[in-house]
Amino acid sequence: IGTERHGHGSAALHTGADELMPHSLELTGEDAMVAFARDIAPVFTAGGVVFLEGTLGAGKTTLSRGLIQALGHEGAVRSPTYTLVEEYPLDEVSVCHFDLYRLGDPEELEYIGIRDYFDDGRLCLIEWPQRGQGMLPEADLIITIDDALQSRILSWTANTDKGQQWSQRLNELSRKLSA
């Protein structure tokens, strides 16, 4: 496993020898998370489903906010903690940001018309996806954010062909940023 430093504040890249293994990146500080989101945003313009996993306060919403703003949203990004979903119709791609933390039962997703959000090439960023298990489609990519005291370790795993393409592009971007 290799470790490198790059210019997003403090960051280290950890890459697996096998392309199928998840790669990870260690970021220190909110600014580094937002900068990384800005760097990777072009990867997601074709739309798809991204699960964001991690503990409370790990940075899932910060990463989402950075992606949404990098894709063209001006102004504040509202947390969908109480509304379950916030929609951002942007020029390059419409983004649906879900936060399922307060979901009592996955069946509740039927009431918001969950299936309709996964059409038309939208990018769906889903925080706390395990709470919607059985009602959500398969994620193209899973990004896991682990709390490492003063930093966060982001790792990504592909579940689909699209996710594999995204993962390869994230790996390439991470290597470039580390150079």
Side-chain angles (χ1 to χ4, degrees):
I1 293 179
T3 302
E4 303 171 39
R5 297 269 170 208
H6 72 73
H8 282 300
S10 177
L13 173 69
H14 307 277
T15 58
D18 182 340
E19 278 301 310
L20 297 177
M21 290 180 61
H23 290 238
S24 64
L25 182 71
E26 185 173 354
L27 301 172
T28 301
E30 184 174 340
D31 290 344
M33 180 79 78
V34 171
F36 182 66
R38 185 174 51 247
D39 291 337
I40 65 171
V43 170
F44 301 106
T45 57
V49 179
V50 179
F51 286 178
L52 300 169
E53 298 181 345
T55 59
L56 193 62
K60 299 176 297 294
T61 300
T62 300
L63 182 65
S64 296
R65 182 181 73 235
L67 283 168
I68 292 164
Q69 289 174 331
L71 289 167
H73 179 70
E74 295 179 11
V77 172
R78 297 176 302 276
S79 174
T81 302
Y82 293 99
T83 59
L84 295 182
V85 63
E86 290 290 339
E87 202 166 355
Y88 300 90
L90 306 173
D91 289 340
E92 289 194 63
V93 64
S94 288
V95 180
C96 299
H97 178 203
F98 295 85
D99 184 337
L100 305 183
Y101 181 73
R102 297 197 182 279
L103 189 68
D105 185 314
E107 295 287 323
E108 292 174 34
L109 292 172
E110 282 295 326
Y111 300 123
I112 66 166
I114 190 71
R115 290 183 181 94
D116 297 337
Y117 289 100
F118 300 106
D119 295 338
D120 304 325
R122 293 180 178 135
L123 174 61
C124 295
L125 304 172
I126 306 173
E127 298 182 36
W128 300 97
Q130 66 276 20
R131 299 197 182 213
Q133 190 170 12
M135 300 300 292
L136 299 174
E138 180 177 37
D140 294 301
L141 189 74
I142 299 171
I143 297 176
T144 303
I145 305 172
D146 291 310
D147 188 347
L149 298 177
Q150 299 301 314
S151 63
R152 301 294 186 261
I153 298 172
L154 281 74
S155 58
W156 45 89
T157 306
N159 281 342
T160 65
D161 289 341
K162 179 186 280 190
Q164 185 61 39
Q165 292 170 4
W166 286 352
S167 181
Q168 288 171 356
R169 290 184 61 199
L170 291 179
N171 296 341
E172 291 166 10
L173 283 169
S174 295
R175 283 192 283 275
K176 285 179 187 175
L177 294 171
S178 299

